[in-house]
Amino acid sequence: SQQGEEDPQALSIQEGENATMNCSYKTSINNLQWYRQNSGRGLVHLILIRSNEREKHSGRLRVTLDTSKKSSSLLITASRAADTASYFCASVVLNDYKLSFGAGTTVTVRA
Amino acid sequence: ETGVTQSPTHLIKTRGQQVTLRCSSQSGHNTVSWYQQALGQGPQFIFQYYREEENGRGNFPPRFSGLQFPNYSSELNVNALELDDSALYLCATRRGGRTDTQYFGPGTRLTVL
């Protein structure tokens, strides 16, 4: 079973627009991570946010975490065609180590 | 590039056969995890090895087994292949700390006919 769920399942935007995707999880976490996957290849780590953090930035990425709602969001600003990929959130629950992934959001950036 | 490599890239097997997938670790990464990703789904945790010992396992049957070698490279073995084993198999390595970033390899695409 998957710990998290992403919303929406798919997103299509114009180049230059922002893309926002959300992730919900079920149990208390140590940290939550976001990954990108291009065309069924390996996962690329984007950002890690710890349970005591509320917001984190990395380049054009902004991640928020709301532990009271057990949810996180990933914002990609000023999207580019190269951002076309599937995005996954993965949580690490307390006293555990494995990544529990959601089903992902497929983002298509149109030129 | 994460520095983690996997072989082979693609593999086709028939039901009942056995398969071995390989993963090389990034330098200094003593922990390796294996994940199975079915088409259109997120990766599912299979098991983890730390310093050559399995120290965690997901909801996978015993026909999924593994090894980690002294140089921290790893193998995933699957016996008695079933059609549902068709998936992308990913390995991820990290330095052992629970909150350390995991670095994924490009995966092995296994097709079972």
Tab-separated table of all heavy atoms in Angstrom, chain A residues 11 13-19 21 35-39 46 58-61 74-87 105-110:
chain	number	residue	atom	x	y	z
A	11	LEU	N	-1.113	17.147	-15.003
A	11	LEU	CA	-1.144	18.606	-15.067
A	11	LEU	C	-0.516	19.032	-16.389
A	11	LEU	O	0.586	18.585	-16.726
A	11	LEU	CB	-0.326	19.143	-13.896
A	11	LEU	CG	-0.295	20.601	-13.545
A	11	LEU	CD1	-1.678	21.120	-13.289
A	11	LEU	CD2	0.577	20.796	-12.315
A	13	ILE	N	0.525	22.533	-18.483
A	13	ILE	CA	0.646	23.980	-18.373
A	13	ILE	C	1.481	24.537	-19.523
A	13	ILE	O	2.198	23.800	-20.205
A	13	ILE	CB	1.298	24.389	-17.036
A	13	ILE	CG1	2.659	23.698	-16.873
A	13	ILE	CG2	0.376	24.099	-15.870
A	13	ILE	CD1	3.438	24.170	-15.673
A	14	GLN	N	1.381	25.849	-19.700
A	14	GLN	CA	2.169	26.543	-20.714
A	14	GLN	C	3.528	26.896	-20.121
A	14	GLN	O	3.648	27.186	-18.911
A	14	GLN	CB	1.416	27.818	-21.120
A	14	GLN	CG	1.777	28.402	-22.455
A	14	GLN	CD	1.225	27.583	-23.607
A	14	GLN	OE1	0.184	26.955	-23.499
A	14	GLN	NE2	1.950	27.578	-24.716
A	15	GLU	N	4.525	26.883	-20.960
A	15	GLU	CA	5.858	27.301	-20.530
A	15	GLU	C	5.786	28.690	-19.898
A	15	GLU	O	5.089	29.573	-20.410
A	15	GLU	CB	6.792	27.325	-21.741
A	15	GLU	CG	8.258	27.155	-21.412
A	15	GLU	CD	9.096	26.823	-22.648
A	15	GLU	OE1	8.681	27.178	-23.774
A	15	GLU	OE2	10.159	26.206	-22.474
A	16	GLY	N	6.467	28.853	-18.785
A	16	GLY	CA	6.455	30.127	-18.080
A	16	GLY	C	5.454	30.175	-16.939
A	16	GLY	O	5.591	30.994	-16.024
A	17	GLU	N	4.454	29.303	-16.982
A	17	GLU	CA	3.470	29.268	-15.893
A	17	GLU	C	4.040	28.502	-14.709
A	17	GLU	O	5.047	27.809	-14.805
A	17	GLU	CB	2.178	28.611	-16.374
A	17	GLU	CG	1.424	29.401	-17.412
A	17	GLU	CD	0.146	28.710	-17.849
A	17	GLU	OE1	0.052	27.471	-17.720
A	17	GLU	OE2	-0.765	29.401	-18.323
A	18	ASN	N	3.348	28.637	-13.586
A	18	ASN	CA	3.726	27.883	-12.389
A	18	ASN	C	2.942	26.575	-12.337
A	18	ASN	O	1.806	26.490	-12.804
A	18	ASN	CB	3.428	28.698	-11.131
A	18	ASN	CG	4.264	29.957	-11.047
A	18	ASN	OD1	5.292	30.079	-11.716
A	18	ASN	ND2	3.824	30.897	-10.226
A	19	ALA	N	3.559	25.572	-11.747
A	19	ALA	CA	2.904	24.267	-11.563
A	19	ALA	C	2.880	23.948	-10.079
A	19	ALA	O	3.915	24.044	-9.401
A	19	ALA	CB	3.645	23.177	-12.312
A	21	MET	N	1.605	21.002	-7.253
A	21	MET	CA	1.063	19.674	-7.001
A	21	MET	C	1.097	19.405	-5.499
A	21	MET	O	1.933	19.964	-4.784
A	21	MET	CB	1.828	18.601	-7.781
A	21	MET	CG	3.292	18.514	-7.502
A	21	MET	SD	4.220	17.950	-8.946
A	21	MET	CE	4.505	19.483	-9.814
A	35	TYR	N	10.708	13.836	-5.635
A	35	TYR	CA	11.564	13.303	-6.685
A	35	TYR	C	10.948	13.583	-8.044
A	35	TYR	O	9.729	13.698	-8.181
A	35	TYR	CB	11.718	11.772	-6.545
A	35	TYR	CG	12.595	11.345	-5.398
A	35	TYR	CD1	12.095	11.266	-4.106
A	35	TYR	CD2	13.937	11.022	-5.610
A	35	TYR	CE1	12.899	10.867	-3.046
A	35	TYR	CE2	14.748	10.619	-4.556
A	35	TYR	CZ	14.229	10.548	-3.283
A	35	TYR	OH	15.029	10.159	-2.244
A	36	ARG	N	11.800	13.649	-9.065
A	36	ARG	CA	11.365	13.778	-10.448
A	36	ARG	C	11.805	12.532	-11.207
A	36	ARG	O	12.890	11.987	-10.970
A	36	ARG	CB	11.984	15.018	-11.100
A	36	ARG	CG	11.475	15.288	-12.506
A	36	ARG	CD	12.215	16.462	-13.145
A	36	ARG	NE	13.568	16.113	-13.510
A	36	ARG	CZ	14.637	16.866	-13.245
A	36	ARG	NH1	14.502	18.012	-12.613
A	36	ARG	NH2	15.827	16.480	-13.640
A	37	GLN	N	10.958	12.101	-12.137
A	37	GLN	CA	11.284	10.952	-12.967
A	37	GLN	C	10.942	11.283	-14.415
A	37	GLN	O	9.803	11.632	-14.721
A	37	GLN	CB	10.514	9.707	-12.520
A	37	GLN	CG	10.916	8.443	-13.273
A	37	GLN	CD	10.199	7.209	-12.728
A	37	GLN	OE1	9.019	7.242	-12.424
A	37	GLN	NE2	10.944	6.104	-12.582
A	38	ASN	N	11.935	11.150	-15.281
A	38	ASN	CA	11.742	11.396	-16.701
A	38	ASN	C	11.522	10.073	-17.421
A	38	ASN	O	12.365	9.187	-17.341
A	38	ASN	CB	12.970	12.093	-17.300
A	38	ASN	CG	13.106	13.506	-16.799
A	38	ASN	OD1	13.690	13.743	-15.750
A	38	ASN	ND2	12.552	14.441	-17.544
A	39	SER	N	10.399	9.941	-18.100
A	39	SER	CA	10.115	8.824	-19.015
A	39	SER	C	10.496	7.469	-18.458
A	39	SER	O	11.207	6.706	-19.105
A	39	SER	CB	10.840	9.044	-20.347
A	39	SER	OG	10.433	10.230	-20.934
A	46	LEU	N	14.870	15.935	-5.575
A	46	LEU	CA	14.707	17.381	-5.736
A	46	LEU	C	14.920	18.123	-4.428
A	46	LEU	O	15.685	19.099	-4.380
A	46	LEU	CB	13.313	17.694	-6.280
A	46	LEU	CG	12.977	17.150	-7.671
A	46	LEU	CD1	11.538	17.468	-8.018
A	46	LEU	CD2	13.929	17.718	-8.715
A	58	SER	N	14.468	25.664	-3.326
A	58	SER	CA	15.665	25.241	-4.048
A	58	SER	C	15.507	25.688	-5.485
A	58	SER	O	14.737	25.104	-6.249
A	58	SER	CB	15.837	23.721	-3.971
A	58	SER	OG	16.951	23.304	-4.739
A	59	GLY	N	16.206	26.742	-5.856
A	59	GLY	CA	16.071	27.280	-7.215
A	59	GLY	C	14.639	27.687	-7.500
A	59	GLY	O	14.048	28.489	-6.770
A	60	ARG	N	14.022	27.091	-8.531
A	60	ARG	CA	12.638	27.414	-8.886
A	60	ARG	C	11.624	26.548	-8.138
A	60	ARG	O	10.431	26.603	-8.439
A	60	ARG	CB	12.456	27.219	-10.405
A	60	ARG	CG	13.257	28.196	-11.257
A	60	ARG	CD	12.994	28.011	-12.765
A	60	ARG	NE	13.434	26.712	-13.240
A	60	ARG	CZ	12.609	25.753	-13.651
A	60	ARG	NH1	11.287	25.921	-13.635
A	60	ARG	NH2	13.099	24.610	-14.096
A	61	LEU	N	12.083	25.773	-7.196
A	61	LEU	CA	11.203	24.886	-6.443
A	61	LEU	C	10.902	25.453	-5.068
A	61	LEU	O	11.789	25.991	-4.398
A	61	LEU	CB	11.845	23.506	-6.280
A	61	LEU	CG	12.303	22.778	-7.526
A	61	LEU	CD1	12.937	21.450	-7.151
A	61	LEU	CD2	11.168	22.585	-8.507
A	74	LEU	N	4.366	21.014	-3.767
A	74	LEU	CA	5.550	21.365	-4.550
A	74	LEU	C	5.127	22.385	-5.591
A	74	LEU	O	4.192	22.141	-6.363
A	74	LEU	CB	6.139	20.134	-5.230
A	74	LEU	CG	7.247	20.385	-6.260
A	74	LEU	CD1	8.503	20.947	-5.596
A	74	LEU	CD2	7.590	19.106	-7.028
A	75	LEU	N	5.803	23.514	-5.612
A	75	LEU	CA	5.557	24.560	-6.595
A	75	LEU	C	6.786	24.685	-7.479
A	75	LEU	O	7.896	24.828	-6.973
A	75	LEU	CB	5.266	25.890	-5.897
A	75	LEU	CG	5.275	27.148	-6.774
A	75	LEU	CD1	4.103	27.137	-7.745
A	75	LEU	CD2	5.242	28.414	-5.916
A	76	ILE	N	6.561	24.614	-8.778
A	76	ILE	CA	7.628	24.884	-9.748
A	76	ILE	C	7.286	26.206	-10.402
A	76	ILE	O	6.226	26.338	-11.035
A	76	ILE	CB	7.723	23.783	-10.818
A	76	ILE	CG1	7.880	22.409	-10.173
A	76	ILE	CG2	8.880	24.057	-11.772
A	76	ILE	CD1	7.795	21.249	-11.159
A	77	THR	N	8.132	27.192	-10.254
A	77	THR	CA	7.854	28.500	-10.843
A	77	THR	C	8.490	28.611	-12.229
A	77	THR	O	9.481	27.950	-12.523
A	77	THR	CB	8.383	29.625	-9.957
A	77	THR	OG1	9.809	29.463	-9.807
A	77	THR	CG2	7.738	29.590	-8.583
A	78	ALA	N	7.880	29.441	-13.064
A	78	ALA	CA	8.421	29.740	-14.394
A	78	ALA	C	8.823	28.454	-15.114
A	78	ALA	O	9.986	28.259	-15.487
A	78	ALA	CB	9.609	30.685	-14.291
A	79	SER	N	7.850	27.574	-15.315
A	79	SER	CA	8.160	26.234	-15.832
A	79	SER	C	8.781	26.281	-17.225
A	79	SER	O	8.560	27.212	-18.006
A	79	SER	CB	6.884	25.395	-15.866
A	79	SER	OG	5.945	25.978	-16.739
A	80	ARG	N	9.556	25.249	-17.507
A	80	ARG	CA	10.233	25.094	-18.798
A	80	ARG	C	9.854	23.740	-19.375
A	80	ARG	O	9.422	22.844	-18.656
A	80	ARG	CB	11.749	25.146	-18.589
A	80	ARG	CG	12.239	26.364	-17.852
A	80	ARG	CD	13.672	26.196	-17.394
A	80	ARG	NE	14.150	27.353	-16.657
A	80	ARG	CZ	15.286	27.369	-15.963
A	80	ARG	NH1	16.054	26.298	-15.912
A	80	ARG	NH2	15.645	28.472	-15.323
A	81	ALA	N	10.074	23.591	-20.670
A	81	ALA	CA	9.770	22.308	-21.323
A	81	ALA	C	10.519	21.163	-20.646
A	81	ALA	O	10.006	20.046	-20.534
A	81	ALA	CB	10.122	22.377	-22.808
A	82	ALA	N	11.721	21.441	-20.154
A	82	ALA	CA	12.534	20.406	-19.502
A	82	ALA	C	11.953	19.952	-18.167
A	82	ALA	O	12.400	18.939	-17.604
A	82	ALA	CB	13.959	20.920	-19.289
A	83	ASP	N	10.962	20.667	-17.645
A	83	ASP	CA	10.314	20.251	-16.395
A	83	ASP	C	9.281	19.162	-16.639
A	83	ASP	O	8.718	18.617	-15.678
A	83	ASP	CB	9.641	21.451	-15.724
A	83	ASP	CG	10.632	22.506	-15.263
A	83	ASP	OD1	11.773	22.137	-14.907
A	83	ASP	OD2	10.272	23.707	-15.278
A	84	THR	N	8.993	18.865	-17.897
A	84	THR	CA	8.063	17.785	-18.218
A	84	THR	C	8.582	16.483	-17.652
A	84	THR	O	9.676	16.032	-17.990
A	84	THR	CB	7.889	17.655	-19.747
A	84	THR	OG1	7.248	18.830	-20.236
A	84	THR	CG2	7.057	16.434	-20.103
A	85	ALA	N	7.809	15.879	-16.742
A	85	ALA	CA	8.253	14.683	-16.023
A	85	ALA	C	7.140	14.249	-15.085
A	85	ALA	O	6.106	14.912	-14.973
A	85	ALA	CB	9.519	14.976	-15.215
A	86	SER	N	7.371	13.144	-14.395
A	86	SER	CA	6.493	12.740	-13.296
A	86	SER	C	7.157	13.131	-11.989
A	86	SER	O	8.378	12.993	-11.843
A	86	SER	CB	6.249	11.226	-13.327
A	86	SER	OG	5.484	10.868	-14.442
A	87	TYR	N	6.351	13.622	-11.073
A	87	TYR	CA	6.855	14.082	-9.791
A	87	TYR	C	6.231	13.243	-8.679
A	87	TYR	O	5.014	13.013	-8.658
A	87	TYR	CB	6.546	15.566	-9.587
A	87	TYR	CG	7.320	16.438	-10.545
A	87	TYR	CD1	6.877	16.642	-11.850
A	87	TYR	CD2	8.526	17.043	-10.164
A	87	TYR	CE1	7.604	17.403	-12.740
A	87	TYR	CE2	9.256	17.819	-11.055
A	87	TYR	CZ	8.782	17.987	-12.339
A	87	TYR	OH	9.515	18.746	-13.225
A	105	THR	N	2.474	12.717	-9.883
A	105	THR	CA	1.786	13.678	-10.739
A	105	THR	C	2.585	13.811	-12.024
A	105	THR	O	3.787	14.086	-11.975
A	105	THR	CB	1.685	15.062	-10.071
A	105	THR	OG1	0.845	14.976	-8.925
A	105	THR	CG2	1.118	16.092	-11.041
A	106	THR	N	1.921	13.623	-13.162
A	106	THR	CA	2.578	13.778	-14.459
A	106	THR	C	2.388	15.208	-14.936
A	106	THR	O	1.257	15.660	-15.110
A	106	THR	CB	2.003	12.797	-15.484
A	106	THR	OG1	2.202	11.462	-15.004
A	106	THR	CG2	2.703	12.953	-16.828
A	107	VAL	N	3.479	15.899	-15.115
A	107	VAL	CA	3.446	17.309	-15.539
A	107	VAL	C	3.920	17.414	-16.977
A	107	VAL	O	4.995	16.911	-17.327
A	107	VAL	CB	4.322	18.179	-14.627
A	107	VAL	CG1	4.372	19.616	-15.146
A	107	VAL	CG2	3.801	18.146	-13.196
A	108	THR	N	3.119	18.075	-17.800
A	108	THR	CA	3.491	18.349	-19.187
A	108	THR	C	3.572	19.856	-19.353
A	108	THR	O	2.598	20.570	-19.066
A	108	THR	CB	2.470	17.775	-20.166
A	108	THR	OG1	2.349	16.364	-19.938
A	108	THR	CG2	2.901	18.022	-21.608
A	109	VAL	N	4.711	20.337	-19.794
A	109	VAL	CA	4.902	21.767	-20.036
A	109	VAL	C	4.913	21.986	-21.536
A	109	VAL	O	5.799	21.496	-22.244
A	109	VAL	CB	6.199	22.283	-19.403
A	109	VAL	CG1	6.350	23.783	-19.645
A	109	VAL	CG2	6.226	21.978	-17.910
A	110	ARG	N	3.941	22.745	-22.026
A	110	ARG	CA	3.801	22.983	-23.463
A	110	ARG	C	4.588	24.229	-23.863
A	110	ARG	O	4.559	25.247	-23.174
A	110	ARG	CB	2.322	23.190	-23.820
A	110	ARG	CG	1.410	22.064	-23.363
A	110	ARG	CD	-0.007	22.252	-23.875
A	110	ARG	NE	-0.537	23.573	-23.533
A	110	ARG	CZ	-1.159	23.859	-22.383
A	110	ARG	NH1	-1.316	22.923	-21.478
A	110	ARG	NH2	-1.625	25.075	-22.158
